[in-house]
Amino acid sequence: MNTTPQRPTHHRSEETERLGLTGLLPPPPVPGLVPGRELLLKEALLQKAALVEPPGSLITWAPHRRLARFAAPAVACALAVGGVMVVNFTDTPGRGTTAVKDGSATGAPEAKQLLDRIALAAAGAKQPMVRADQFVYIESEVSYAAQSASGGPVTMAPAHTRQVWSSADGSRPGLLREKGEPDSRLDDDAPVYHLDGPGATPRPSIPHKKRPSISDPTHKYVAALPTDADALLKLIRNETRGQGQDPDQRAFTAIGDLLAETWAPPQVSAALYKAAAKIPGVTVIHAAADATGREGVAVARTTHGQQTQWVFDRSTYAFLGERTVLTEAGDAGPAGTVVGTSAILTKAAVDRVGETPAPMTT
């Protein structure tokens, strides 16, 4: 028989002491999300938000343009206003429905030949120098598809005018003006709000200006890009690493953004086209149209059920605009449904924000 007395337990007092000590420790750090995981969580949030939207609400498939510098006090992954939800779903803005049939696109050899001709034409283009104190002005027509939050086929809104003024050296605020929307200031000086503690009043501060990059360039930055296609593509891949999608699509999207949202000098434009020719999966679409109906030939790349098309004039090889087409049937519509389109109308240098030049071709 064991006569050793049992040691009394002090479970409750030990637990109380442990909790007390825990309260003295700082909270554990919260690990950040890798960009891909953050993107997935945002998409999941948007899908969940769509499920609770009231009947009749619309989701607008707005173009994803990382190049615009918006001044805003906070970042939101979705904005529901007046029954319309704006979602960064596509990288380019089309109109109507266009059949996408087997054999409508040809592969890499023809795409490389076409892009080489486009690069040659771009290199020979006449373009004035842009002074550091000027603004690059880009005017376009854009149209986005809208879909009911409860699902169903998409419908295209009429094309409307989009105007952007960007400081050539990034030293002054720019402006985005889109018909039917309030003007948006473009710069890096948006305040960031900090909380010093629970219940504290948010304290604004101005963050340090970010350096220009492939995803957020100034004209000065673009004008200094490498004119060697291999070096340029390597730079684009490095600077877009971790931004979601696959590396080839990231590079293709970044080049498309630079073509549409900047006014690169001729030699840089030529290098961008030659760099695009080196991206696997690029094809040629023999018949495509921009947002104004101008017909041409397109260079395209397909990923995740969507095809991004860059539309060019058949004779001059001038860049006309972009469009995004569904390549797989789904709730949004059959394969061939155009969910966004744009048309570049004017690119020029102006002296002031709000100044519009005489129209000129790009």
Side-chain angles (χ1 to χ4, degrees), residues 159-170:
H160 63 273
T161 302
R162 180 178 185 267
Q163 298 167 289
V164 180
W165 290 264
S166 302
S167 173
D169 64 359

Side-chain angles (χ1 to χ4, degrees), residues 234-299:
K234 181 179 179 180
L235 174 67
I236 291 171
R237 290 189 185 280
N238 287 339
E239 290 210 9
T240 57
R241 183 177 289 115
Q243 294 182 3
Q245 306 176 31
D246 63 87
D248 294 328
Q249 186 61 27
R250 287 199 303 267
F252 190 81
T253 298
I255 292 173
D257 286 349
L258 291 170
L259 294 174
E261 297 290 294
T262 71
W263 198 25
Q267 294 300 323
V268 175
S269 293
L272 288 170
Y273 292 125
K274 290 179 180 178
K278 297 177 179 293
I279 298 175
V282 177
T283 59
V284 173
I285 307 297
H286 294 284
D290 67 10
T292 62
R294 295 179 299 189
E295 295 186 355
V297 62
V299 173

Side-chain angles (χ1 to χ4, degrees), residues 2-232:
N2 185 2
T3 59
T4 304
Q6 292 185 350
R7 180 173 297 178
T9 60
H10 303 284
H11 174 73
R12 181 166 299 180
S13 60
E14 290 176 356
E15 180 68 14
T16 302
E17 184 178 0
R18 186 184 66 80
L19 291 175
L21 291 173
T22 301
L24 298 176
L25 297 174
V30 179
L33 295 173
V34 298
R37 178 62 177 162
E38 184 178 10
L39 180 62
L40 289 175
L41 291 176
K42 285 184 178 182
E43 290 177 348
L45 176 61
L46 292 174
Q47 292 171 1
K48 189 172 183 180
L51 295 177
V52 298
E53 283 295 299
S57 298
L58 296 178
I59 298 176
T60 301
W61 296 22
H64 175 70
R65 286 287 178 225
R66 292 181 302 279
L67 304 186
R69 300 178 171 194
F70 294 94
V75 177
C77 35
L79 174 64
V81 178
V84 175
M85 180 175 289
V86 179
V87 180
N88 281 331
F89 188 84
T90 66
D91 285 311
T92 52
R95 178 176 56 188
T97 300
T98 303
V100 176
K101 301 176 181 177
D102 292 340
S104 63
T106 55
E110 185 175 0
K112 184 181 184 307
Q113 292 172 8
L114 175 60
L115 284 165
D116 283 345
R117 292 196 295 269
I118 293 170
L120 184 62
K126 301 297 182 183
Q127 182 173 318
M129 293 288 293
V130 180
R131 300 193 315 269
D133 63 342
Q134 288 185 302
F135 291 83
V136 172
Y137 171 77
I138 299 178
E139 180 178 339
S140 58
E141 288 287 311
V142 298
S143 178
Y144 316 139
Q147 182 183 33
S148 170
S150 59
V154 298
T155 57
M156 289 296 292
H160 63 273
T161 302
R162 180 178 185 267
Q163 298 167 289
V164 180
W165 290 264
S166 302
S167 173
D169 64 359
S171 63
R172 291 175 292 169
L175 182 70
L176 168 66
R177 179 171 292 163
E178 205 158 350
K179 187 174 181 180
E181 300 290 338
D183 288 354
S184 298
R185 173 172 151 153
L186 308 179
D187 69 359
D188 285 333
D189 295 332
V192 174
Y193 290 88
H194 302 272
L195 285 177
D196 295 324
T201 302
R203 176 173 51 85
S205 67
I206 302 299
H208 296 294
K209 268 190 180 295
K210 293 182 293 184
R211 293 194 309 170
S213 64
I214 290 294
S215 299
D216 190 18
T218 61
H219 178 78
K220 182 179 178 181
Y221 174 87
V222 172
L225 286 174
T227 54
D228 175 78
D230 291 315
L232 181 56

